[in-house]
Amino acid sequence: MTPTQLRAYVAVVRLGSVKQAAAELQVSESAVSLHIAQLRKEFGDKLFRRTAVGLAFTPGGLRLASRAAELLGLQDRTMLEVSAAKRGRRLLRVAASSLFAEFAAPGLIELFAKRAADLDVELSVGNPGAFGSLLLTRAADIAIGPQPPVVDTAIACRPVMNYRVVLVVGPEHPLAGMPASPGQLREQTWLLGPSAATELGAVPALLRRLAVLDERQQIFQSHAAALGEAKRGKGVAPALAFTVTPDVRQGHLAQVAGPHATMEAVWHSQVLAVPGSMSAADELSRFSSTPRAIQAMMRGAGVSVGQFRPSVHVTLWS
């Protein structure tokens, strides 16, 4: 069993087609079929069969799919760690929900990274529903975001920080400073950040609680962009209470009053549960709930040009 065979198999499982797997891996279909045949021979299992509606996997085939993704993730992580070790560096990969990544992660990670001169911290934004899979496949070392409904026994989940989501509008909006009923809120144009596009978290929960229709929702590339539209009186925007307090105080935004316009929630950290281990991920998990860390998350912090490594989804502190 080789990594090349496992990559071919994982691609077939994910895409549901040998042809598509070959195209993604940029090899011939016969090469993918050969790798699958070798795995079938080695395990003595058909792994999957073709049906009229796609591929049907055997119990052994499903188990191999899970293990293959985990093994490949571990291989990729090992290569990164060995490369970093050659440079005298450690790498900590943090997956975070969009709301946490935009407003709380910069202050936390900057403060934590200062504690270890040999540590690189990579922050990526992901769907909180996929955090368990990212950890189990070693694609991430720690995940921070909404509490998952079910936690795998191999994962340790700890509370990090309580937070409150409030609804804000422009100072001239009819709901500015006024109590609003669920019916009034449902009729508004909702200005939302990326967190609204997921199933977990305070913002999706608030939308479900108020039964806001999809046609009333406008999703922007960032929560800050949605707040910018709210300041211009374009609608109502959910926001972290501690981030909008200055704008409310200065009159740039106004908070909607009433019990229906707020939501309490808790961010949690998740790491693989390894008895006796004290990795950088475990250190960050424990550190993130300390008073100093919470102050840093609420205060926020930028990073200098020398520490910022932007890409589409990844930011790197070193």
Side-chain angles (χ1 to χ4, degrees):
M1 182 175 63
T2 68
T4 302
Q5 293 169 356
L6 293 178
R7 289 189 190 281
Y9 183 69
V10 168
V12 170
V13 173
R14 189 177 68 255
L15 300 172
S17 162
V18 171
K19 182 177 181 179
Q20 292 182 45
E24 180 179 277
L25 297 172
Q26 298 182 330
V27 298
S28 65
E29 290 183 49
S30 60
V32 173
S33 296
L34 177 61
H35 292 319
I36 300 300
Q38 290 169 332
L39 288 173
R40 284 171 165 164
K41 181 178 180 181
E42 181 166 352
F43 288 103
D45 191 312
K46 289 281 292 181
L47 302 180
F48 64 85
R49 60 184 176 84
R50 291 181 175 84
T51 70
V53 294
L55 302 180
F57 291 86
T58 67
L62 292 175
R63 179 61 61 87
L64 176 61
S66 173
R67 289 299 187 193
E70 183 177 337
L71 288 169
L72 292 172
L74 186 58
Q75 181 192 32
D76 292 340
R77 177 181 176 181
T78 301
M79 292 178 67
L80 284 170
E81 289 179 346
V82 170
S83 176
K86 286 173 61 179
R87 297 180 285 112
R89 310 291 301 176
R90 292 181 294 156
L91 177 64
L92 175 63
R93 294 167 300 168
V94 182
S97 63
S98 59
L99 194 63
F100 182 86
E102 187 170 343
F103 293 109
L108 171 66
I109 293 178
E110 184 183 34
L111 182 61
F112 182 74
K114 286 179 179 177
R115 294 156 52 95
D118 65 336
L119 184 66
D120 291 335
V121 183
E122 178 188 271
L123 173 67
S124 62
V125 179
N127 184 338
F131 283 172
S133 175
L134 291 176
L135 293 169
L136 292 172
T137 59
R138 273 67 172 185
D141 302 307
I142 180 172
I144 306 179
Q147 182 178 15
V150 179
V151 181
D152 191 287
T153 55
I155 294 174
C157 183
R158 302 183 182 93
V160 169
M161 174 180 167
N162 298 324
Y163 66 97
R164 184 163 57 98
V165 169
V166 297
L167 297 183
V168 292
V169 294
E172 304 301 323
H173 193 281
L175 293 182
M178 301 294 292
S181 68
Q184 288 176 305
L185 293 173
R186 276 194 293 271
E187 294 172 358
Q188 304 303 313
T189 297
W190 284 65
L191 309 169
L192 306 164
S195 61
T198 64
E199 293 295 322
L200 300 178
V203 173
L206 184 59
L207 292 169
R208 288 193 297 268
R209 188 179 75 184
L210 294 171
V212 179
L213 298 176
D214 289 348
E215 52 264 34
R216 292 288 184 180
Q217 303 179 31
Q218 296 182 9
I219 299 182
F220 295 82
Q221 290 185 334
S222 69
H223 300 89
L227 287 173
E229 289 296 290
K231 290 178 182 179
R232 289 187 280 273
K234 301 296 185 180
V236 59
L240 291 170
F242 67 83
T243 66
V244 294
T245 297
D247 281 323
V248 171
R249 186 183 302 119
Q250 295 166 17
H252 302 311
L253 287 169
Q255 187 173 330
V256 180
H260 307 292
T262 185
M263 174 71 74
E264 305 285 341
V266 184
W267 281 315
H268 284 71
S269 67
Q270 300 177 62
V271 297
L272 286 179
V274 181
S277 164
M278 184 50 73
S279 64
D282 291 305
E283 292 178 26
L284 178 57
S285 178
R286 289 173 169 81
F287 176 72
S288 60
S289 61
T290 64
R292 283 190 64 207
I294 292 173
Q295 288 176 5
M297 286 185 277
M298 296 182 68
R299 184 177 64 248
V303 293
S304 66
V305 173
Q307 293 176 298
F308 186 63
R309 302 289 187 273
S311 70
V312 176
H313 295 294
V314 175
T315 304
L316 179 67
W317 280 258
S318 60

